[in-house]
């Protein structure tokens, strides 16, 4: 046991200390949380919340999962870190698992680069695309790929990008889901087409049916790579290991992170076919990436998702949530979109920030990625009963936040 003493006090006192000591990149924190178990978290004042955000689609198996805890502590007390001059059985096993999950029964070979976050996985993929000998990237309007200089270069929104220019160039954007625009933008100078199968940060935006299939054809017609950012949609979140598997698409490059380690930081860039050998010694690296503790966390996640049949559970719970919210027939709800347990409740008015606050007061953690969108991304193990408590509170969450 540890003899570290962590600060106590009220939420207001701790928030005050936070604001003095932590850079103000996120705005004031909504709560100070001290404990989590399963699908619930508790704040410093002892109030319990149903966690329907899961640390932004991260805590796939909920908080303090005993088997993940067991795997991490066993590895940490055996061998915690060795750097990438050396291999560990944990990292090898995870790489094999991930390549199998990504390629399925397509018969394609694949290899993994391990990182510590989604941004870093994308940074690796971005550098990988440069090794094709081409430099142009065609990305999507409304995309989100992270906050590093590389990830920012891929971001469409000018107000995020422009304060940090000059950034790596040769990136162009087309409207998300517009195959004709993509067709017109891609030529033989393009290294990669970059797509989130569902745009998470943009408000859980789903492209038209068949878009990924079209995008793959367009990319391959021009010798370009199809790079999918599945940092948010991957690892079972939509009811398949990768969201692209709903369309039968095997990407040339796919980036993973959020749900991969259940909260233990880990990211992965998986490349298939010839793309798997583009990065070579000296091309890229990471001190922590694929560290054995992070690797066993991810191995445990994969094992439990398989063992407990969670992909089917995600599909069933996602449909249950969407149907129950629709059945409310609430005048402020326009639609429910998304797939599996990555869902948006789209509102008729821009009341999402207030609804977010009201939900927190009523004991539900959600968030508002856009002024008219509430995002629901609970642990994959959430039950129908737990979701029903939220749906029952939804009229109050929406009406209690009338402008
Ligand atoms: C969250 C996210 C990222 C960034 O991941 P970090 O772990 O925050 O660096 C990149 N791409 C997508 C699609 C994401 O949702």
């Amino acid at each position: 046991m540890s003899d570290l003493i962590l600060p106590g006090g009220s939420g207001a006192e701790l928030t005050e200390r936070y604001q003095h000591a932590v850079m103000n990149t996120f705005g004031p924190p909504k709560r100070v949380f001290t404990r989590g178990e399963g699908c619930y978290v508790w704040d410093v004042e002892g109030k319990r919340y149903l966690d329907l955000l899961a640390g932004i689609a991260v805590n796939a198996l909920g908080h303090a999962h005993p088997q993940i805890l067991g795997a991490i502590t066993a590895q940490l007390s055996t061998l915690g870190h060795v750097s990438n001059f050396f291999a560990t059985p944990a990292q090898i096993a995870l790489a094999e698992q991930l390549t199998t999950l990504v390629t399925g029964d397509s018969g394609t070979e694949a290899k993994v680069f391990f990182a510590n976050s989604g941004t870093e996985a994308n940074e690796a993929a971005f550098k990988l695309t440069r090794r094709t000998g081409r430099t142009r990237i065609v990305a999507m309007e409304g995309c989100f790929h992270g906050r590093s200089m590389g990830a920012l270069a891929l971001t469409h929104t000018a107000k995020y990008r422009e304060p940090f220019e000059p950034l790596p160039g040769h990136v162009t954007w087309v409207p998300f889901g517009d195959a004709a625009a993509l067709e017109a933008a891609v030529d033989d100078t393009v290294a990669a087409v970059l797509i989130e199968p569902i745009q998470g940060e943009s408000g859980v935006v789903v492209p038209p049916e068949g878009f990924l299939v079209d995008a793959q054809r367009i990319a391959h017609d021009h010798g370009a790579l199809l790079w999918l950012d599945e940092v948010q949609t991957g690892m079972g979140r939509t009811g398949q290991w990768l969201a692209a598997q709903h369309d039968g698409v095997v990407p040339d490059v796919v980036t993973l992170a959020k749900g991969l380690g259940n909260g233990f930081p880990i990211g992965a860039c998986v490349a298939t076919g010839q793309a798997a050998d583009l990065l070579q010694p000296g091309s890229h690296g990471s001190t922590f990436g694929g560290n054995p503790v992070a690797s066993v966390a991810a191995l445990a996640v994969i094992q439990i998702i398989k063992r407990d049949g969670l992909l089917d559970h995600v599909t069933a719970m996602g449909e249950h949530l969407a149907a129950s919210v629709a059945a409310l027939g609430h005048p402020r709800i326009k639609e429910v979109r998304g797939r599996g347990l990555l869902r948006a409740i789209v509102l008729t008015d821009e009341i999402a920030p207030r609804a977010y606050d009201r939900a927190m007061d009523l004991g539900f953690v959600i968030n508002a990625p856009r002024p008219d969108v509430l995002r629901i991304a609970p642990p994959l193990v959430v039950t129908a009963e737990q979701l029903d408590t939220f749906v029952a509170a939804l009229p109050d969450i929406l009406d209690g936040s009338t402008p």
Side-chain angles (χ1 to χ4, degrees), residues 56 116-120 122 144-147 196 200-201 229-232 257-258:
I56 319 181
N116 310 289
S117 67
T119 300
E120 284 181 54
N122 283 332
F144 181 80
H145 302 295
R147 306 287 198 155
E196 292 160 86
E201 295 313 299
D229 179 346
E230 295 232 23
V231 167
Q232 189 156 162
K258 290 194 165 85

Side-chain angles (χ1 to χ4, degrees), residues 113-124 145-146 148 231 255-258 260 264-269 286 289:
F113 176 85
F114 285 111
N116 310 289
S117 67
T119 300
E120 284 181 54
N122 283 332
E123 190 70 27
H145 302 295
S148 66
V231 167
T255 43
L256 300 167
K258 290 194 165 85
L260 182 55
F264 206 95
I266 180 167
C269 167
S286 169

